[in-house]
Structure formats: structure tokens, C-alpha cells
Amino acid sequence: VSTQSTGHYYITNNLSMVDAATKKTLAAIPLLKTKAGPRDKEDWPIRLKEEVTSLIKYIQNNKTADNDWLRIQSNKEGTRWFGKCWYIQDYKKYEFELEFDIPVTYPSTAPEIAIPELDGKTAKMYRGGKICLTEHFKPLWSRNAPKFGVAHALALGLGPWMAVEVPELIKRGVVVHKDDQPSGE
């Protein structure tokens, strides 16, 4: 991990499988400092503040880069996260609900992000609509825990997953834009 003079951080050596654009996105997301999970009553509020700060920066960066693709919020305790993510193809916006819980072993364990309405529609998904991140994302997370947080899971997990899977689901006709669905659905 290296520090830039702006106070933001970037990861080196561990991102050999990540493209230059993703590295640039990741470099602009502040890393987290507090190693605490939801069971740590003293340090969890500190970690949660870092999570929110990192998420705000990530979403602001996305908007600046004209890459706005999600809205997310948590319950008061910061243990359950939910929102919407979307993918735009052929000038059509495909919108999905997303959700996940912070694992009790967080930040050592990455959250399992779910898009419930896509459950069973792709092989790269587990029961309940949890997206498959085992091959690429989870090793990266484990090498960078506890510095990675929710924003990193979205940037390195959900974003790339959607960029690969959603166009394929659209192409196969498994996902149909709301304006193209037969009436009555």
C-alpha cells in the first residue's frame, strides 16, 4: 500500500488482474483504518464513519466521471445495506435492487452482495441472488483486509460483475427492459 500526497491511498502489486481504469477508480477510494466489525461496540461506529466517508467519495468520483450507477444506504446500525444499481445499454436503464449484510467476521470477510431479482438467472450467482465473487475478488479482499470496505466491494465486486453479466443476461433475453415487457407483467 502506498500513500499519495492527497491523503488517498492506492494498492500496488496486488492488482495484477485489474485493468488500468479499475486501478484508477480504486486509487481514488480512501482506504479504511479501523479494524472493527459489527460486534465491536467501541470501534464499529468509527469504522462505520470511515465506510460512509469512503462511499461518499466513491459515489462523488463516479458522478464526476459520468459513471453514476448506484445508490446505497444502510440501517442505523450499519449492518444491513440496500439500494439500487443500474446498467445502461442501448440507451436503456436496467435497474436492480441490491442488498447485503455485513458479516460478523467483517472486515476479514467481504460482504456477499445480492441482487435478489436475478436469482437463478445466471450461473455466476449463488442462492438468494448473491453474486459470485470467489475467483477474483475474494483473494484480493483477503490480501487487503481490513483496508477495504463497502465502497471497495462495490467497485471491485459488484461493478465488474454487472459489466460482464448484465449484458449477457440482456442478450439471452433473461433480463428485459421494463418498457419492452409485455403488458400485464
Side-chain angles (χ1 to χ4, degrees):
V1 179
S2 301
T3 307
Q4 295 178 346
S5 61
T6 61
H8 295 286
Y9 304 91
Y10 60 96
I11 308 297
T12 57
N13 301 330
N14 289 341
L15 298 177
S16 58
M17 67 189 117
V18 178
D19 64 31
T22 303
K23 285 181 185 179
K24 182 179 178 186
T25 299
L26 184 59
I29 303 172
L31 296 176
L32 290 82
K33 297 173 182 144
T34 306
K35 183 178 182 180
R39 288 194 211 172
D40 186 340
K41 300 299 178 202
E42 189 175 318
D43 288 339
W44 178 241
I46 298 166
R47 171 74 183 210
L48 191 54
K49 185 176 179 182
E50 292 175 10
E51 293 281 2
V52 171
T53 301
S54 184
L55 268 167
I56 289 169
K57 183 65 176 165
Y58 175 57
I59 291 171
Q60 286 174 340
N61 292 344
N62 284 344
K63 286 182 178 184
T64 300
D66 197 25
N67 187 28
D68 189 24
W69 64 277
L70 71 104
R71 293 289 176 270
I72 189 165
Q73 62 186 4
S74 74
N75 63 3
K76 188 176 111 180
E77 299 79 20
T79 56
R80 178 125 181 94
W81 294 76
F82 49 93
K84 292 186 182 286
C85 56
W86 54 87
Y87 185 85
I88 298 175
Q89 181 170 307
D90 298 327
Y91 304 104
K92 293 180 181 180
K93 182 177 180 180
Y94 296 83
E95 193 169 80
F96 309 97
E97 300 284 332
L98 75 99
E99 61 184 45
F100 58 91
D101 294 320
I102 297 294
V104 294
T105 54
Y106 187 83
S108 297
T109 305
E112 293 182 324
I113 301 169
I115 304 175
E117 67 198 88
L118 297 181
D119 187 18
K121 295 185 177 184
T122 172
K124 294 183 181 171
M125 185 168 270
Y126 301 115
R127 182 172 293 162
K130 293 179 180 172
I131 64 173
C132 177
L133 297 174
T134 54
E135 189 175 323
H136 300 293
F137 175 71
K138 289 199 177 178
L140 188 59
W141 180 280
S142 65
R143 286 193 304 267
N144 290 286
K147 296 173 184 84
F148 276 7
V150 170
H152 299 89
L154 296 169
L156 294 170
L158 181 60
W161 185 91
M162 286 183 59
V164 170
E165 290 301 307
V166 173
E168 183 62 27
L169 292 169
I170 294 167
K171 181 180 171 184
R172 291 190 356 239
V174 175
V175 169
V176 178
H177 189 266
K178 62 184 177 186
D179 293 345
D180 297 334
Q181 293 178 353
S183 58
E185 283 190 39

